[in-house]
């Protein structure tokens, strides 16, 4: 089983999505100013402060019922000797906070910051990375270890994702608008491997017409309800 998650899974924890019409980050900010290597080169102070505010928000919030259900699903699948892989576009580490293991972070993590000079990358849990632009001990500029527009996805994450997709027989897409490639093509890759496909989202997306089952609603509600019906046991 392969589960792919997007920003919608963290929305109920209080992390804004990117493309929701009113609350989405890209409805309020221009990604060209904040989420490209050129933006960082032009104004590292603005970019690092904006990402550090988002990092701090990620440290304040808690995983929701969708994160918790996915962590339990992994445990139950593994206990039954079945392979399970969680792929996420989210950079907030809430899946790991809920107990998910070996999460494939396709777009990096906002909790990791990398020095553009010495290349050191590590998790940053300090309350603030001010003064901005944030700097490494070596004096080099620090940047969040996320994938910006125009950058390639981490090779190891893509390799693990492709391996899982080639072998999967159930693919679940949760809370992603399915418009950002290459990840938006994963449902198609799973189908090519003859997997059954399920989508959970507040509204239809470009992949909705091609999936076997479309469930409309909030991930934090729909996912536990579906898993309760499919797996039973203690309430999800
Ligand atoms: P988007 O903001 O594009 O899409 C969020 C999706 O979640 C939408 O389809 C919403 O309908 C849905 N949604 C919102 N709340 C939900 C809820 N409670 N339950 C279920 N669904 C809900 O976010 P992503 O698809 O994750 O990339 O965006 C993909 C990438 O675009 C991000 O990783 C980011 C962004 O630019 C980078 O930063 C590289």
């Amino acid at each position: 089983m392969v589960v792919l998650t997007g920003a919608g899974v963290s929305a109920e924890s209080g992390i804004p999505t990117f493309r929701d019409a009113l609350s989405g980050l890209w409805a309020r900010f221009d990604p060209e100013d904040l989420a490209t290597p050129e933006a960082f080169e032009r104004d590292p102070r603005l970019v690092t402060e904006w990402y550090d505010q988002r990092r701090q928000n990620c440290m304040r919030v808690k995983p929701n019922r969708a994160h918790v259900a996915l962590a339990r699903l992994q445990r139950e699948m593994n206990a039954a000797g079945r392979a399970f892989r969680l792929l996420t576009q989210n950079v907030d580490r809430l899946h790991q906070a809920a107990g998910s293991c070996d999460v494939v972070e396709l777009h990096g993590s906002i909790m990791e910051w990398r020095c553009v000079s010495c290349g050191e990358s590590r998790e940053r849990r300090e309350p603030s990375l001010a003064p901005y632009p944030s700097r490494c001990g070596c004096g080099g500029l620090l940047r969040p270890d996320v994938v910006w527009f125009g950058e390639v996805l981490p090779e190891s994450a893509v390799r693990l994702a492709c391996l899982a997709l080639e072998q999967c027989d159930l693919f679940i897409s949760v809370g992603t608008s399915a418009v950002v490639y290459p990840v938006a093509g994963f449902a198609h890759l799973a189908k090519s491997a003859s997997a059954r496909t399920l989508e959970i989202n507040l509204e239809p997306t470009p992949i909705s017409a091609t999936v076997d089952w479309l469930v409309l609603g909030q991930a934090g509600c729909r996912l536990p309800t579906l898993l309760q019906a499919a797996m039973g046991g203690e309430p999800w």
Side-chain angles (χ1 to χ4, degrees):
M1 187 187 300
V2 176
V3 179
L4 168 68
T5 63
V9 165
S10 294
E12 291 159 66
S13 290
I15 307 249
T17 64
F18 294 94
R19 294 179 181 77
D20 282 294
L22 293 176
S23 58
L25 287 176
W26 300 152
R28 292 177 288 140
F29 302 99
D30 186 345
E32 295 282 332
D33 294 335
L34 296 160
T36 65
E38 294 76 22
F40 180 66
E41 214 164 281
R42 214 167 36 237
D43 196 342
R45 185 180 172 282
L46 176 79
V47 171
T48 54
E49 182 165 4
W50 189 75
Y51 274 93
D52 194 32
Q53 298 303 322
R54 287 184 54 211
R55 182 190 66 96
Q56 290 176 30
N57 190 35
C58 293
M59 290 196 297
R60 277 191 290 268
V61 302
K62 300 249 176 305
N64 64 53
R65 288 185 70 205
H67 297 107
V68 172
L70 288 172
R72 176 170 163 191
L73 177 62
Q74 179 174 35
R75 282 195 302 276
E76 297 208 359
M77 290 288 288
N78 289 343
R82 310 290 299 272
F84 176 94
R85 181 62 90 175
L86 180 57
L87 313 176
T88 190
Q89 298 164 91
N90 298 344
V91 297
D92 53 39
R93 294 250 155 111
L94 286 179
H95 284 304
Q96 290 90 334
S100 286
C101 301
D102 304 323
V103 182
V104 176
E105 295 178 318
L106 293 154
H107 289 167
S109 170
I110 203 168
M111 305 308 298
E112 304 272 337
W113 287 57
R114 183 173 84 232
C115 174
V116 298
S117 299
C118 73
E120 190 210 23
S121 178
R122 66 178 171 86
E123 193 174 80
R124 307 277 162 164
R125 288 273 166 191
E126 45 273 63
S128 165
L129 296 178
Y132 307 109
S134 317
R135 287 187 184 273
C136 172
C138 82
L141 287 175
L142 282 179
R143 59 159 285 180
D145 216 345
V146 299
V147 176
W148 281 330
F149 289 100
E151 294 186 319
V152 292
L153 272 55
E155 197 191 317
S156 59
V158 174
R159 202 176 45 244
L160 286 170
C162 289
L163 205 65
L165 289 165
E166 278 164 18
Q167 298 167 2
C168 95
D169 46 32
L170 178 60
F171 173 83
I172 307 179
S173 172
V174 196
T176 172
S177 57
V179 294
V180 177
Y181 279 83
V183 179
F186 283 4
H188 178 72
L189 286 179
K191 259 192 141 28
S192 310
S194 305
R196 300 293 213 92
T197 50
L198 161 67
E199 181 181 32
I200 302 174
N201 201 303
L202 283 184
E203 57 189 27
T205 73
I207 63 165
S208 301
T210 63
V211 294
D212 296 303
W213 301 283
L214 170 64
V215 176
L216 295 178
Q218 289 195 312
C221 168
R222 297 298 192 206
L223 203 47
T225 307
L226 272 173
L227 292 171
Q228 178 72 55
M231 317 270 292
E234 293 291 307
W236 284 68

